[in-house]
Amino acid sequence: MKTMTFAIAAGLAASLLAGTALAQDKTLNMIVIEGGDTTAMQAVVDAYKADHPGIAINLQSYPFAQFFQVAELRLRSADTGIDLVYVDAPLLASYASRGFLSPIDPAISTGELVPAAVQAGQYDGTQYALPINNSAQVLYFNKALFEAAGITPPAGLTKGETATQAEVDTLASSERWTWEQVADAAQKLTVKDNGRTTTYGFTVEQFGELYQLQPFGESLGSPVIGPDGYTAKGYLDSEAWTKAATFWSDLYNTWAVSPKSLGYGEAASLFGNGQLAMFAGGTWNLPILSATDIDFGVAPYPYFEGGSVVTPTGSWYVGVNAASANQAEAMDFASYLTTSDAGTKAWFDSLQQLPTYKPLLDTISTSADYDAFPQNVFRLGVYDSLNTAVARPVTAAYGQLQDAFRTAFVDIANGVPVADALASAVQKFESAAARVAQ
């Protein structure tokens, strides 16, 4: 009996060693955006490797400005050098419709994820990607600049104060500023010296981007495109979007309260230098601004008077390259990253972006660790993700829509008449979308 037991044990040990040796030959490659996202993903990889020592995961990072083109080219060429891919939510339909992504293993449970986030990872009824995190936009304001101008700032969350989830819910549901209030305050806060603007009243973090500006028109009652995913006529050039685009034009041309053509990260930099009184931006700016000397507050993302409260949402997903030879291993890491306590915590602790993992959202809502500023700002994100967030359009032609939208709103900020810019965007998008639909 002892001999048999020893033999079995020896056999199992040999089998495990062989399996480990084989597993050590497994290296997964994942393309990600460089910077904080790569740092956060490496934290998850390190946590995963502690439990899966036989799997190596190599992160291939690219600058944001290049990432989408690189991902498109490598996926389209069925590059087997990619196993896992960072997927921006609105591009999922384009990737899935062309067979770039494998359907997510149905054995992976998504029951602990925010349902809307799960649905945004589906195309034609099939799950093709899992949500890594969500996003939330807020209104940052410089308290000292408001005081100097003699203006009462918006109700918000500030340093030295605490707020429960219930108190944040009240703030978000009944004390949210309108865009009209933002514009009025911005004009009073803008400072010029000999014709040169030294302090701007307001700007948005992502200049001309659909993600940032979609709530403008939708707050006034019109989606960007129709439900077929290919029609912009009657939507992007509607009365609602014309009004929204006119407001956008006024910020730059009539009131001159916003700086033109800001690059990514420049709004937070201007704000941190005291040259910007307010900006609409993501919660990912909290660590950056907390490291400055600026005494700032955070208010809910605004809406148009008489309109609906609509806020940006959606963020990064993880998908498995259909051409990967390591499907099972890639699926396992994707599940760990998005549906495990350890994986989601490692990501959140590193990047501080709103989770889609409900146990983490519950922690944010209930733990005393999130009572104080700036951690309680995430409770604004919890409220909006459950009550006001509207996802970007699901269309296989999203890239074409984003390009047409960006061109139009950059042109409008630079003085092109609203009607002309929107008409051009409609024509540009529908022509490009027709080719995608073929």
Side-chain angles (χ1 to χ4, degrees):
M1 186 70 172
K2 289 181 180 179
T3 302
M4 184 178 293
T5 301
F6 177 81
I8 292 172
L12 284 172
S15 175
L16 287 171
L17 286 172
T20 300
L22 179 64
Q24 284 174 340
D25 292 333
K26 289 283 189 180
T27 297
L28 304 182
N29 293 304
M30 181 177 189
I31 56 173
V32 296
I33 289 175
E34 71 178 16
D37 293 67
T38 298
T39 301
M41 192 63 71
Q42 188 62 56
V44 180
V45 167
D46 292 344
Y48 181 80
K49 192 168 177 58
D51 295 330
H52 305 79
I55 302 292
I57 300 175
N58 177 42
L59 301 180
Q60 301 175 7
S61 61
Y62 297 93
F64 183 85
Q66 299 173 14
F67 179 82
F68 299 103
Q69 182 180 12
V70 170
E72 172 70 25
L73 291 173
R74 296 189 69 178
L75 289 171
R76 189 169 61 195
S77 65
D79 185 347
T80 57
I82 301 174
D83 300 291
L84 293 140
V85 60
Y86 228 31
V87 179
D88 195 14
L91 291 177
L92 180 128
S94 176
Y95 291 170
S97 66
R98 291 180 287 165
F100 292 172
L101 302 176
S102 296
I104 294 297
D105 185 344
I108 296 175
S109 173
T110 58
E112 293 284 13
L113 301 177
V114 173
V118 173
Q119 292 167 12
Q122 297 173 356
Y123 176 73
D124 201 21
T126 298
Q127 195 78 38
Y128 282 98
L130 297 170
I132 301 173
N133 60 260
N134 211 329
S135 62
Q137 292 276 312
V138 294
L139 180 67
Y140 294 93
F141 59 93
N142 183 314
K143 294 171 63 179
L145 292 180
F146 269 84
E147 183 177 354
I151 303 171
T152 302
L157 304 172
T158 57
K159 186 177 181 180
E161 299 179 358
T162 62
T164 65
Q165 184 67 59
E167 290 169 333
V168 170
D169 290 353
T170 298
L171 168 67
S173 61
S174 61
E175 299 178 74
R176 190 183 298 256
W177 262 24
T178 64
W179 287 119
E180 289 85 355
Q181 288 174 291
V182 170
D184 180 63
Q187 292 172 71
K188 298 171 183 175
L189 290 159
T190 298
V191 178
K192 295 182 183 293
D193 183 13
N194 293 322
R196 187 177 72 90
T197 303
T198 56
T199 303
Y200 286 97
F202 170 76
T203 194
V204 297
E205 180 175 27
Q206 297 185 26
F207 178 74
E209 294 296 332
L210 178 57
Y211 164 79
Q212 183 90 71
L213 302 180
Q214 181 183 345
F216 277 33
E218 299 220 1
S219 175
L220 293 168
S222 175
V224 182
I225 57 175
D228 65 354
Y230 300 101
T231 302
K233 184 68 176 174
Y235 296 93
L236 187 51
D237 58 355
S238 65
E239 181 180 349
W241 271 104
T242 297
K243 180 178 178 180
T246 299
F247 175 84
W248 173 256
S249 177
D250 288 342
L251 289 172
Y252 298 91
N253 302 299
T254 303
W255 306 318
V257 298
S258 300
K260 296 181 179 181
S261 302
L262 286 184
Y264 188 77
E266 290 187 87
S269 179
L270 281 176
F271 187 85
N273 292 332
Q275 298 171 282
L276 177 64
M278 295 180 286
F279 80 100
T283 54
W284 50 81
N285 290 293
L286 287 169
I288 300 169
L289 299 179
S290 295
T292 71
D293 295 328
I294 299 296
D295 185 11
F296 69 97
V298 177
Y301 196 84
Y303 70 106
F304 280 109
E305 183 178 355
S308 302
V309 177
V310 176
T311 57
T313 191
S315 191
W316 293 100
Y317 283 63
V318 60
V320 175
N321 180 14
S324 168
N326 303 306
Q327 295 287 315
E329 293 84 0
M331 289 289 175
D332 188 67
F333 179 74
S335 177
Y336 180 88
L337 169 63
T338 59
T339 67
S340 73
D341 290 342
T344 56
K345 186 176 188 303
W347 177 267
F348 178 70
D349 286 349
S350 178
L351 199 60
Q352 293 286 286
Q353 291 209 25
L354 189 69
T356 59
Y357 186 58
K358 289 191 287 187
L360 254 183
L361 288 177
D362 290 343
T363 298
I364 292 171
S365 292
T366 60
S367 172
D369 292 340
Y370 293 87
D371 285 349
F373 185 83
Q375 291 300 96
N376 55 17
V377 175
F378 287 104
R379 289 176 171 168
L380 271 178
V382 172
Y383 177 89
D384 280 343
S385 69
L386 298 175
N387 295 280
T388 67
V390 174
R392 282 163 283 179
V394 176
T395 171
Y398 183 82
Q400 291 77 4
L401 174 63
Q402 185 169 247
D403 288 345
F405 187 96
R406 181 189 301 115
T407 298
F409 277 78
V410 169
D411 285 349
I412 290 168
N414 287 318
V416 173
V418 167
D420 294 347
L422 294 183
S424 178
V426 167
Q427 189 278 327
K428 180 180 179 181
F429 168 69
E430 290 191 348
S431 295
R435 293 191 292 271
V436 172
Q438 290 176 352

